[in-house]
Amino acid sequence: MDRVNNTAKRADKNKILPHGVPNDIYENPEDFGVLDFKIKVDKEAIDYVRNLYAPQDHPVFQLVPPTFAEYAVQFYEAMNAPPVSRHNIWEVYLILLDKFHELEEIPEAYHADWYRVAMTDEPEPLQLLEGLCELANGEDGMDSDGNYYMGGVNNGAGLDGCQLERIDEIEAQDEPQLQSDSQDPEPELLVEFSGEEDADEW
């Protein structure tokens, strides 16, 4: 992650976001012609909100059937529960996969849960959480090119007048200043051509 965030990405003419090294853009957004929307929040506040609204035992984090998770935990603990990192995650996964393949028989009671998840073709539509509302504009605010804003700036309303003015100021700072008070005439470009008979002298 450190290498990715400190390395410039390949140029992409279709990209509308800033180009450059991610960490440089994060630390100095106005140097790249964009506004800084960072909101600094204490880690303690994040932990509090996470525990309040996204507790680890919430069903949304149940990525596999509980009975499958029981087996996975047993196999993982049998490996002495090695800390998983990007360096060993594939190795850990393959070992766990082999353990499941070595199962002589999956209990009949588990079949319905395991195969129901595996055979689901289309995910169930997500319902809007209680107390929340759809983003402002959205598909209802689509422009003539078929684009619409789905971000969270100003509660989903997009950039306001002051922010647009600030962007104009940033862009103006990057424009070259061509005005000059000097009355000196432009220099003339003199080029001397030689005849064919002189070509051999060069």
Side-chain angles (χ1 to χ4, degrees):
M1 185 62 67
D2 181 71
R3 178 181 61 82
V4 171
N5 287 335
N6 286 287
T7 304
K9 304 298 176 289
R10 184 177 63 180
D12 183 355
K13 65 179 182 180
N14 298 314
K15 180 183 177 183
I16 61 174
L17 296 177
H19 293 71
V21 178
N23 277 345
D24 291 345
I25 299 172
Y26 177 82
E27 295 293 341
N28 306 288
E30 294 198 355
D31 290 349
F32 295 85
V34 295
L35 300 181
D36 186 356
F37 290 102
K38 290 194 297 291
I39 299 177
K40 296 183 179 180
V41 182
D42 292 335
K43 183 179 182 302
E44 292 75 12
I46 296 177
D47 292 339
Y48 172 79
V49 172
R50 180 175 56 194
N51 293 331
L52 181 63
Y53 295 105
Q56 294 184 0
D57 58 352
H58 192 280
V60 73
F61 299 115
Q62 182 181 306
L63 304 181
V64 295
T67 51
F68 183 93
E70 291 176 7
Y71 273 103
V73 169
Q74 291 177 15
F75 296 152
Y76 181 64
E77 291 178 347
M79 299 165 53
N80 296 321
V84 179
S85 69
R86 64 186 178 91
H87 300 290
N88 70 344
I89 187 170
W90 187 244
E91 179 182 358
V92 171
Y93 165 77
L94 291 177
I95 294 175
L96 290 175
L97 183 62
D98 287 341
K99 294 293 185 182
F100 277 100
H101 285 165
E102 292 171 2
L103 282 176
E104 294 182 359
E105 183 179 0
I106 300 175
E108 188 70 26
Y110 295 173
H111 281 203
D113 283 342
W114 290 26
Y115 289 103
R116 176 181 57 81
V117 175
M119 299 302 293
T120 299
D121 293 330
E122 297 183 3
E124 299 178 0
L126 295 176
Q127 301 297 322
L128 194 65
L129 297 178
E130 183 180 354
L132 299 182
C133 59
E134 296 287 354
L135 287 174
N137 300 325
E139 295 184 10
D140 296 332
M142 189 177 299
D143 62 21
S144 59
D145 295 327
N147 302 315
Y148 58 92
Y149 182 71
M150 293 292 287
V153 175
N154 293 329
N155 295 321
L159 299 177
D160 59 26
C162 293
Q163 291 164 337
L164 292 173
E165 289 179 3
R166 180 56 185 147
I167 290 179
D168 291 339
E169 293 175 1
I170 294 174
E171 292 179 347
Q173 293 173 0
D174 293 335
E175 294 180 356
Q177 303 297 322
L178 301 179
Q179 296 180 354
S180 174
D181 296 332
S182 174
Q183 300 299 322
D184 296 337
E186 296 184 0
E188 296 181 1
L189 179 62
L190 301 178
V191 180
E192 181 178 353
F193 292 92
S194 62
E196 292 182 1
E197 63 275 9
D198 299 329
D200 294 335
E201 298 180 3
W202 292 90

